[in-house]
Amino acid sequence: MKRIKGITAAGIGAVAAAAGCSSPQQQKPNIVFFFADDIGTECFGCYGGIDYNTPCIDSLARQGIQYSNMNAQPLSTPSRVQVMTGMYNDRNYVNFGYMNDDETTFAQLARDAGYSTAIVGKWQLGRSRAMVPKLGFDESFLAQVEIYNESRGEYQTDRYANSWFDNNGKTYEYCPFGPDEMERYAFDYMDRQIAAGKPFLLYYTEPLVHTPHVSMPGSDEWDWDYDSRFAKGADTSYFRGMVQYLDKQVGEVVRYLKDKGVWDNTILIFSTDNGTSTRIVSRTDDGSRVRGGKGEPNYHGTHVPLIITWGDRLAGKKSDRLADLTDILPTIADIVGVEVPENLHIDGVSLYPDISGGKASEKDLILVHFNPLWPTTPSPKASRYAMNDTYAYFWDGRIYNYRTDPGFDSPLMYDDASEELKEAVSALKARVDEFEDFYPDKPGAPRRGNYKTFYDFAPPQNPF
């Protein structure tokens, strides 16, 4: 076993004791990992967005650590496999809507450390109710487990109005509005852990702001006529209200933690799974107009927010370190004080030293192995590339300066590059070339389970 860098479990207890914590529940910090869907940095005021109202998330950024160069995969399932396992997709990604149920996850590590664990929200990792607890979650309240196509219709959605959520693999719960019912379950779960004096990890996989773009409760358009609530994803005018509702839910989680007296003993991690829908164009304070990059192998597709708070303990600051979703697992492991099995060879580095007053290890590069492997249609945009703090190098020799060309519109081929530029991307090229013979839709890791994805029944389609 190998101790990852960061504070030990004893160190966590010492920090808590120094802060005047006394009850058993307060000896280890709680963790809320709030993971939103389909929204890039350009939609948040704290990242320069000017088109949307995000005061709660902006407030988090002012009182925590805001990472300016955080990256996901450009699409949901690739990101969700990566964040759960701490590994790049070239090592364990199977295909869209699926994850092998023998993987080691951050939830398992937290449970091994004595934490209660729960997941609420979006699943999208396999049509098997049995795999959720197997992957480390004591409790769950989820969309997109075994019910998916069955929960959608003219007056139904699989995540918003008139939806059905899987309650701990035992019952299907009708939800007038899915995100509200998720929140109720999350608060009830935390109530019970606080009362029991047990530290908890809550993985809050918010479905907002994924399509369909529909009206939100409390808006002028929300009614029981249904026409305004089921726009079939085509009307982007509702997107602004969806962003505002997402922000409201983040704010309600913060208020809950404060009201329960556990805010200063809770580490809140906020991030998202990929860039914004390509249907959405947003303005930023530098005068740019940014088209969302979901599904696109470019910086708009991968550049997502990362904000970490620990109650009021952290002075607000910004970090320009290179980070990605593989860093979440080792960060959580460090928080709870457990070792990561050395046979996992995870790709992430722990950010916990940033939180606890030290300095986390710097990453020289990150890898984007984006090969969605839809069961129903080829993935012509699949790509493999590595990024440092300025450049992206692709498997076919393209080089982009993503600082000046975030849309990856103007490539320079490696063979035509100067010796200076070749040197600047040499480590990127070496990392990309470690995976031989990459091509779009090359088969991924083998399935080791006997369950299906929730897309296996679907006809061929264009996912974007």
Side-chain angles (χ1 to χ4, degrees):
M1 302 288 280
K2 180 180 179 182
R3 165 63 65 184
I4 59 177
K5 295 180 179 179
I7 197 166
T8 64
I12 293 173
V15 170
C21 302
S22 57
S23 72
Q25 196 275 334
Q26 292 176 312
Q27 295 306 304
K28 288 186 176 182
N30 307 307
I31 303 167
V32 176
F33 176 29
F34 196 109
F35 200 45
D37 201 338
D38 283 9
I39 184 165
T41 56
E42 74 276 6
C43 296
F44 300 97
C46 54
Y47 283 92
I50 61 174
D51 277 341
Y52 313 102
N53 189 25
T54 57
C56 299
I57 295 167
D58 297 345
S59 176
L60 281 184
R62 288 192 296 271
Q63 61 192 292
I65 304 174
Q66 178 184 350
Y67 292 83
S68 63
N69 198 3
M70 172 67 172
N71 291 269
Q73 294 291 289
L75 197 63
S76 181
T77 297
S79 285
R80 290 167 196 277
V81 173
Q82 185 179 102
V83 77
M84 288 268 281
T85 65
M87 296 181 189
Y88 291 127
N89 286 169
D90 57 349
R91 296 175 52 203
N92 66 351
Y93 184 77
V94 180
N95 60 255
F96 195 83
Y98 187 98
M99 186 171 93
N100 282 317
D101 62 6
D102 57 359
E103 297 283 356
T104 298
T105 71
F106 63 69
Q108 291 168 333
L109 298 179
R111 190 160 66 181
D112 289 346
Y115 276 64
S116 170
T117 59
I119 178 172
V120 299
K122 178 177 178 177
W123 179 241
Q124 201 185 79
L125 293 175
R127 296 190 77 169
S128 168
R129 299 170 106 182
M131 70 181 297
V132 180
K134 190 172 182 180
L135 286 169
F137 296 101
D138 298 322
E139 296 192 28
S140 60
F141 188 79
L142 294 168
Q144 299 179 344
V145 185
E146 290 187 354
I147 286 183
Y148 178 61
N149 191 49
E150 300 91 332
S151 66
R152 296 188 296 173
E154 185 178 4
Y155 298 124
Q156 293 175 292
T157 59
D158 65 305
R159 67 198 83 193
Y160 298 137
N162 291 352
S163 54
W164 290 87
F165 275 59
D166 187 301
N167 187 339
N168 287 290
K170 298 176 181 178
T171 61
Y172 294 111
E173 303 293 330
Y174 168 72
C175 301
F177 186 68
D180 285 352
E181 299 304 314
M182 283 171 46
E183 183 181 273
R184 290 189 185 97
Y185 189 95
F187 289 176
D188 176 72
Y189 164 75
M190 290 189 287
D191 277 348
R192 289 182 276 112
Q193 309 319 310
I194 293 168
K198 187 167 186 176
F200 58 82
L201 164 70
L202 172 63
Y203 183 22
Y204 198 119
T205 63
E206 171 70 77
L208 289 163
V209 293
H210 196 289
T211 53
H213 295 142
V214 293
S215 60
M216 295 287 104
S219 67
D220 292 341
E221 295 85 5
W222 180 269
D223 54 43
W224 293 98
D225 184 26
Y226 294 112
D227 288 343
S228 67
R229 295 169 57 189
F230 297 88
K232 299 181 180 178
D235 190 348
T236 58
S237 66
Y238 294 125
F239 182 76
R240 190 183 306 272
M242 296 177 79
V243 175
Q244 187 169 345
Y245 209 87
L246 162 65
D247 185 76
K248 178 179 79 76
Q249 289 211 300
V250 172
E252 287 170 350
V253 169
V254 172
R255 280 191 292 275
Y256 170 88
L257 295 170
K258 290 181 176 179
D259 289 346
K260 293 295 180 178
V262 296
W263 169 243
D264 277 337
N265 195 47
T266 301
I267 294 175
L268 174 61
I269 303 170
F270 174 80
S271 192
T272 72
D273 65 348
N274 50 249
T276 314
S277 168
T278 55
R279 301 170 183 172
I280 304 298
V281 178
S282 306
R283 297 176 299 160
T284 58
D285 57 10
D286 64 359
S288 299
R289 295 177 63 85
V290 178
R291 179 170 294 279
K294 177 183 178 179
E296 300 287 338
N298 61 34
Y299 196 48
H300 296 317
T302 67
H303 189 205
V304 297
L306 174 62
I307 301 168
I308 303 178
T309 63
W310 191 348
D312 294 327
R313 299 181 183 201
L314 304 178
K317 65 178 182 179
K318 294 185 179 182
S319 172
D320 61 359
R321 71 160 54 251
L322 195 60
D324 67 18
L325 291 177
T326 65
D327 299 334
I328 299 298
L329 181 144
T331 299
I332 289 175
D334 245 358
I335 292 169
V336 304
V338 298
E339 297 176 340
V340 176
E342 60 182 14
N343 66 315
L344 293 183
H345 302 294
I346 63 170
D347 295 300
V349 301
S350 173
L351 301 177
Y352 186 67
D354 286 350
I355 307 167
S356 58
K359 183 173 175 57
S361 300
E362 296 283 348
K363 296 179 88 158
D364 296 325
L365 60 84
I366 64 170
L367 180 71
V368 179
H369 182 93
F370 175 54
N371 202 18
L373 297 170
W374 292 83
T376 56
T377 189
S379 303
K381 294 184 179 180
S383 298
R384 177 178 170 86
Y385 59 99
M387 301 166 59
N388 58 23
D389 62 2
T390 304
Y391 296 105
Y393 174 85
F394 277 65
W395 91 102
D396 55 5
R398 285 174 287 151
I399 302 172
Y400 299 93
N401 183 329
Y402 66 86
R403 298 294 189 178
T404 58
D405 182 19
F408 292 6
D409 298 315
S410 303
L412 177 67
M413 298 307 295
Y414 180 82
D415 289 344
D416 300 325
S418 66
E419 292 304 314
E420 181 180 15
L421 181 55
K422 287 181 177 179
E423 177 61 26
V425 301
S426 59
L428 305 182
K429 184 178 186 303
R431 182 67 178 89
V432 169
D433 290 347
E434 288 178 10
F435 189 96
E436 297 180 358
D437 191 30
F438 175 83
Y439 57 86
D441 248 30
K442 182 172 183 171
R447 288 196 189 197
R448 297 190 295 269
N450 60 1
Y451 49 91
K452 296 183 178 182
T453 81
F454 61 75
Y455 272 107
D456 283 349
F457 63 83
Q461 58 183 291
N462 179 351
F464 308 117

